[in-house]
Amino acid sequence: MGRKTLHTKVYRVTEEEKNRVLNEAAQIIRRGGLLAIPTETVYGLGANALDKEAVRKIFEAKGRPQDNPLLIHIPDASWLEIYCEKIPPLAYRLAEAFWPGPLTMILKCKSCIPYETTGGLETVGVRCPDNAVTAEIIRLAGVPVAAPSANRSGHPSCTSAETVLDDFAGRIEGVVDDGPCRVGVESTILDMTEYPPKLLRPGGLSLEDIRRIIPETEMDAGICRQLREGEQPKAPGMKYRHYAPKAPVTAVMGGGRESAEYIRTHIKAGEGVICYEEYQDMFSGYACASLGREGCPQEHAQRVFDVLRSFDKTDAAHIWTQCPGEEGLDLAVSNRIKKAAGFHIVEI
Ligand code: TXA
Ligand code: MG
């Protein structure tokens, strides 16, 4: 981890000061600095994707393994052909349907994208975030912005500027505060270098939505189960323990009422629980956080990282969590919860 040597400035974009703030933020990127940026999914830790030195700082600040490549962020689909080649027509169809929005496409990259950004791969993940402030900063900077999620490596992602500061105050030049993220889980990653395309990470755009355009879309192993020894995920980052709060987590799968009752029976003094709002009353006396209402995937997605993070401020020795099913956005939520639990799962 880098030392805390910087004064981290918080930028808020107000109507009166919009131009000055956006220009100052874009300057940080142009100068090779680190700037946390808002997106509709989670906050990103941004730097000039074409500048090796700037990109190195991202890895250092996050404590991220060097073989874990970064996504690049562009303001619109017209930038695709500047940085990628052999772009299949289906990629343009998806961009048309879902950009700006929570879809990252893996494409063959051109040599202008440095090794440091791609982790040595010949492909790059490209994302066009649905956040007007960030799109404008990228346009003003005039370069694609490499940005992994703005969290220390292995920790839950950040959906507010406050949580970004918990992890990075003193280690980055600034954070652009645009309030809480609308989606709350990271983008869906789709490998477009093969046909049929393959889902590498479920995220803010549902598999069902993608299949409405490309019905053949497949799912990579490792999204719903732990990889076997020697098995390699296609998204390098998916092999690391991820999204984990300090205390160990156990995920309980099954019906809402049944899983809440299972946790109620097994929880011990000093342990914590993440449950649907409907069942919070069952856990008075325990550190308890709500995942939102049962059957409301948007609420689960918006809250999942915040509730995981919230336990780092308690003494809970172990966290029990209810875990939703796999439909729509819940596929991404259950994937994050299972990974936070290191696949320590009880099925009832
Ligand atoms: O919503 C998001 O995607 C957020 C916001 C900030 O845009 N970004 C994000 O980046 O989640 P990160 O670095 O935390 O996760 C990107 C994942 C990692 O697991 C990485 O290994 C994988 O994408 N990845 C990056 N480039 C890849 C490539 N060329 N091929 C396969 N997987 C790749
Ligand atoms: Mg991440």
Side-chain angles (χ1 to χ4, degrees):
M1 284 283 300
R3 280 167 300 131
K4 294 189 180 185
T5 52
L6 298 169
H7 168 70
T8 304
K9 212 163 155 182
V10 179
Y11 295 94
R12 288 197 184 81
V13 183
T14 57
E15 243 349 284
E16 312 80 66
E17 292 216 284
K18 195 169 173 188
N19 283 347
R20 187 188 62 76
V21 172
L22 292 179
N23 275 301
E24 208 177 301
Q27 277 306 320
I28 294 180
I29 299 290
R30 291 187 66 84
R31 281 201 316 265
L34 295 186
L35 177 74
I37 49 171
T39 83
E40 79 283 26
T41 58
V42 300
Y43 276 72
L45 185 58
N48 178 354
L50 307 180
D51 176 343
K52 295 177 196 177
E53 285 310 314
V55 164
R56 271 197 204 113
K57 291 183 197 164
I58 294 181
F59 285 91
E60 191 188 73
K62 276 197 65 138
R64 181 173 172 115
Q66 298 279 345
D67 70 342
N68 193 359
L70 305 177
L71 309 180
I72 64 169
H73 295 66
I74 59 175
D76 61 71
S78 74
W79 287 35
L80 258 182
E81 62 190 35
I82 314 176
Y83 304 107
C84 298
E85 57 193 21
K86 297 191 183 147
I87 303 166
L90 274 176
Y92 285 108
R93 282 208 40 209
L94 291 176
E96 174 112 337
F98 302 120
W99 276 6
L103 169 69
T104 294
M105 291 193 274
I106 306 292
L107 294 161
K108 181 137 183 24
C109 69
K110 289 191 176 164
S111 58
C112 55
I113 307 285
Y115 247 57
E116 284 73 6
T117 302
T118 63
L121 300 176
E122 289 180 353
T123 56
V124 67
V126 190
R127 166 150 154 69
C128 177
D130 185 14
N131 181 290
V133 169
T134 286
E136 195 52 30
I137 292 171
I138 302 172
R139 271 196 198 97
L140 289 167
V143 290
V145 170
S149 52
N151 51 277
R152 280 177 314 173
S153 202
H155 288 208
S157 307
C158 292
T159 55
S160 67
E162 291 77 26
T163 46
V164 171
L165 287 169
D166 284 344
D167 276 16
F168 293 107
R171 302 181 199 278
I172 60 177
E173 290 194 37
V175 51
V176 180
D177 183 355
D178 193 35
C181 300
R182 177 173 56 79
V183 176
V185 288
E186 301 91 337
S187 61
T188 300
I189 302 183
L190 198 61
D191 184 357
M192 296 300 292
T193 62
E194 296 172 31
Y195 187 86
K198 199 177 247 180
L199 181 74
L200 304 187
R201 177 178 74 181
L205 178 68
S206 74
L207 179 59
E208 292 89 336
D209 279 344
I210 293 172
R211 283 187 173 153
R212 267 192 273 283
I213 299 202
I214 313 176
E216 299 80 13
T217 306
E218 289 174 353
M219 255 216 279
D220 194 38
I223 286 178
C224 298
R225 63 169 176 84
Q226 192 157 27
L227 291 169
R228 288 183 271 273
E229 227 177 271
E231 223 176 358
Q232 285 294 328
K234 283 207 76 180
M238 301 295 272
K239 69 174 173 272
Y240 298 106
R241 181 162 186 246
H242 216 152
Y243 313 119
K246 291 186 187 123
V249 177
T250 301
V252 183
M253 313 283 305
R257 169 68 49 193
E258 293 74 21
S259 55
E261 273 164 9
Y262 180 94
I263 295 172
R264 181 72 191 85
T265 314
H266 290 81
I267 194 167
K268 299 196 197 76
E271 298 187 330
V273 57
I274 298 170
C275 65
Y276 300 121
E277 203 168 296
E278 290 86 337
Y279 307 112
Q280 278 192 297
D281 289 351
M282 291 168 64
F283 299 103
S284 59
Y286 296 94
C288 180
S290 165
L291 198 54
R293 289 167 296 172
E294 189 176 359
C296 294
Q298 280 190 328
E299 292 184 13
H300 310 158
Q302 282 166 353
R303 289 176 185 227
V304 65
F305 288 131
D306 258 15
V307 296
L308 286 167
R309 274 185 169 264
S310 69
F311 284 93
D312 287 347
K313 297 198 166 137
T314 73
D315 300 325
H318 175 219
I319 304 161
W320 294 89
T321 177
Q322 296 194 279
C323 185
E326 296 182 347
E327 267 169 52
L329 257 187
D330 273 342
L331 179 65
V333 176
S334 61
N335 166 270
R336 304 308 188 267
I337 289 179
K338 287 174 189 169
K339 286 190 164 268
F343 285 92
H344 191 251
I345 299 166
V346 178
E347 293 199 45
I348 52 166

